[in-house]
Amino acid sequence: MQRLTHQLDGRPDRFGRFCRGLGIVGAVAALAAPALAPAADVQRRPNIVVILGDDLGFADIGSFGSEINTPNLDNLAKEGVRFANFYTHASCSPTRSILLSGVDTHLNGLGNMSEWTAPNQRGAVGYEGYLNHRVATLPQLLKDSGYHTYMVGKWHLGKQPDRIPRARGFERDFSLLDGAGSYWDMWNFTGASPKSTFTEDGRYLTQLPKDYYATKTYTDKMIGFIDANHGDGKPFFAYVAHQAPHDPYHLPKEWRSRHVGEYDKGWDAIRQERLKRQIELGIMPAGTQLAERMYFLPDPVVLAPASRAILGKKMELYAGMVENLDYHVGRLIDHLKKIGEYDNTIFIVFGDNGAEGTDLFKMIAGSPGTLNYLFAASHWSQTNPNAWGDPGSYVGYGPMWAQVSMTPFSQYKGWTAEGGIRNALIVSGPVVQRPKGSVNHGLMHVGDIMPTLLSIAGASYPKRSAEGQELPALMGKPWNDVLAGRAESPRTERDYLAWEIFGNRAVRQGEWKLRWQFKPYGTGEWELYNVATDPGERMNVAAQNPEKVQALLAVWDGYAKANNVILPTRGPFETLYDQLPVRVPVDEGFPPLIYQRQFVPPADMLAEPKP
């Protein structure tokens, strides 16, 4: 810093050009950072590739216990480290906002998803529904420090010109601005917003490229971005925010039939098989119990074979989505190897939240006679199972398979149970000094990624924004010591994590987790779990530990006050209690009535009726 200041003394015009070129945030970051390294050192800074799966579950990757074939992701796990205690948020845009800002959702603009902003949250700071300008972004800071910054895939953080990827620090982009959509074309889901919005390099697209298929096209575009500047000596940050495997399950025909009949055995059996592999892999400790099957789901054993087959087909399609995603990740990896960049590239791979168990299509389409219902009937009318995967079809796999994706946890996306907020994480590349293929159980969070990558890139987090506003502090803890093998966790027992979305909330400190969820998924009261010994959250021990409940409540209250948490007056689950049956315990084999087989008498005691 002294060296840079000395060089600029007496040269105000040069300093002015320097600041205008970088932007105020970049200038502050540059001045706050150590003296810039020589060009040769800059070249040695690693490339960074963040691969984000949309609704990809904790147990959907082979190296986390899945039967789904994911050789490319598994190879990254073999060459790097897997993290089994990593948390995101419970929904997509909130997680993405934390990833790209390093700041809590209630401060960065995604205190609630834009689609569900409650009446009492409208107009409140931190609830704008897009990534606000009170935060600095990871791509902007990396760009200011000398990185190329590229993005492909789902954005979901704003659509206005000052909110799109180009405006928030990405040099090149090909982005779906909406939260979901067709993989084949621009069709969206509602009558009021029938077309999805895309940008490419900061311009709004009027049509998509020929032969467009989301997962393939995103990969093609990213390879093109990397090649366009390859050889100029600058490292790159590539944010690969895949749409897959978010519903609708659209995929080419050759990817639809790779697991025919495999899932007809039902969700309970697949969960048990995945948990067994997780224990063998060291992902879960021996003795781990599966979370209770969702009480409103049937035991697949009592279903007719045809019902199991049609429900199994949905999971077959989902597995195909994950395998297709892995294939295109492999294409990117192979290209980086071909151009000599793979060995100098850090990969960070994870899913953005728990798997999707809610019927989004039903929620969006609404009631007969409404505009959205008619729109769905006309534009999403391919309901024959033989057409599933084609344009115009909409398939999601439901809560039964979402629980499979989140093995061994309870519940799924949208909820603050472990199944909504815990996910698989893979990190590989030159910064990882832990044993290859190892598993770590340290307490990690998506908010840690920004400080970690800024540190790796030699960039600093500024104190003020481009508009001169003081920036909120970063919420995360850098992973440098963990990745280097000098520590097992970036957190102490006193550090905590906290969540709130749709009114569901939770706080974790050490082994303990306190959560509050709406009925019937929750009790409408604070529940306490030791998630180290009970990751399936089967045993609510709040009554036995009143002092721990009070201690964690104090932590929660401090978090809520510091982060401007406004609990919503309305939400997506407000009628759920009335729609679902009364919650009852799930006990295997109960009631015996429906499991009893036909009685067969001993053969030597059979007789015809007497005349």
Side-chain angles (χ1 to χ4, degrees), residues 81-147:
V81 58
R82 285 163 288 169
F83 294 92
N85 223 350
F86 170 71
Y87 287 93
T88 61
H89 216 303
S91 193
C92 41
S93 51
T95 291
R96 292 156 200 268
S97 71
I98 297 173
L99 168 65
L100 295 181
S101 73
V103 172
D104 188 83
T105 57
H106 303 89
L107 301 177
N108 69 30
L110 272 297
N112 202 344
M113 295 181 69
S114 63
E115 295 90 342
W116 292 102
T117 304
N120 65 319
Q121 296 171 336
R122 292 175 189 159
V125 173
Y127 294 81
E128 292 88 351
Y130 58 87
L131 190 63
N132 66 32
H133 292 277
R134 295 178 177 86
V135 297
T137 68
L138 175 61
Q140 186 63 60
L141 297 180
L142 290 177
K143 184 179 178 183
D144 290 345
S145 72
Y147 271 71

Side-chain angles (χ1 to χ4, degrees), residues 18-19 22-32 140-141 144-145 462 464 466:
F18 174 80
C19 288
L22 285 179
I24 296 299
V25 170
V28 173
L31 292 171
Q140 186 63 60
L141 297 180
D144 290 345
S145 72
R464 295 189 177 276

Side-chain angles (χ1 to χ4, degrees), residues 167-236:
R168 304 314 304 266
F170 284 105
E171 177 185 342
R172 302 288 307 274
D173 82 282
F174 183 90
S175 305
L176 167 68
L177 302 187
D178 297 86
S182 171
Y183 286 69
W184 298 111
D185 48 46
M186 299 181 82
W187 284 115
N188 205 338
F189 305 131
T190 69
S193 181
K195 291 293 186 74
S196 296
T197 306
F198 289 80
T199 59
E200 184 169 21
D201 295 340
R203 307 292 291 182
Y204 295 90
L205 294 182
T206 58
Q207 60 184 5
L208 293 173
K210 293 181 179 179
D211 301 321
Y212 173 82
Y213 175 70
T215 315
K216 175 185 180 298
T217 302
Y218 296 153
T219 306
D220 292 344
K221 291 290 183 179
M222 181 57 74
I223 289 173
F225 295 163
I226 292 169
D227 282 353
N229 293 312
H230 185 240
D232 67 1
K234 294 175 66 174
F236 62 81

Side-chain angles (χ1 to χ4, degrees), residues 305-359:
S307 298
R308 287 206 305 272
I310 200 69
L311 293 172
K313 186 177 177 66
K314 294 185 176 184
M315 186 62 192
E316 292 170 21
L317 290 173
Y318 180 83
M321 293 286 290
V322 175
E323 292 183 356
N324 182 267
L325 169 65
D326 179 83
Y327 168 76
H328 288 290
V329 168
R331 289 181 55 224
L332 177 59
I333 290 171
D334 289 345
H335 187 75
L336 293 178
K337 289 178 178 178
K338 180 181 178 181
I339 64 175
E341 294 290 349
Y342 175 80
D343 290 336
N344 193 41
T345 298
I346 299 165
F347 291 87
I348 299 176
V349 183
F350 62 100
D352 63 347
N353 42 245
E356 180 61 87
T358 302
D359 188 340

Side-chain angles (χ1 to χ4, degrees), residues 184 249-251 253 256 380 382 386-394:
W184 298 111
Y249 302 154
H250 286 170
L251 67 167
K253 285 184 169 60
R256 300 178 194 177
W380 296 92
Q382 300 302 310
N386 292 327
W388 287 354
D390 288 347
S393 66
Y394 195 112

